[in-house]
Amino acid sequence: MLRFKDGSTARRDILLGADGIKSAVRKTMLHKATSWATFQHRNTDATELRNLSEARFSGMFCYRALIPTESHEDDSPLGY
């Protein structure tokens, strides 16, 4: 069950949390899973889930850029 700030709710099969490095989705979902594991006395699982709730550097980088269409129109092999 998803609960939103405006009080509305939704039930879905999949939740995509694309909210960045300080993801509220990740923290919320993992906090709930950690609480459930703790309740079931699965302390190893709870510790692992707690550790996953904070972002860690993976060794991967991503570079992004926006390039105006006008700057490469002449380079297109299809002519557009």
Side-chain angles (χ1 to χ4, degrees), residues 16-36:
L16 175 62
D19 54 343
I21 194 165
K22 296 181 181 181
S23 174
V25 172
R26 180 183 61 246
K27 285 183 181 183
T28 302
M29 290 185 68
L30 290 174
H31 175 71
K32 189 172 184 175
T34 300
S35 296
W36 182 248

Side-chain angles (χ1 to χ4, degrees), residues 27-66:
K27 285 183 181 183
T28 302
M29 290 185 68
L30 290 174
H31 175 71
K32 189 172 184 175
T34 300
S35 296
W36 182 248
T38 301
F39 175 75
Q40 293 185 330
H41 305 290
R42 294 179 10 227
N43 296 328
T44 303
D45 293 340
T47 300
E48 185 176 331
L49 288 165
R50 195 173 296 110
N51 290 337
L52 290 173
S53 68
E54 292 299 323
R56 301 186 285 233
F57 179 60
S58 67
M60 304 285 290
F61 287 95
C62 179
Y63 296 96
R64 298 180 183 124
L66 297 175

Side-chain angles (χ1 to χ4, degrees), residues 2-21:
L2 303 171
R3 291 186 176 95
F4 300 96
K5 282 185 177 181
D6 67 359
S8 62
T9 61
R11 187 176 298 274
R12 299 291 181 258
D13 293 332
I14 296 174
L15 172 63
L16 175 62
D19 54 343
I21 194 165

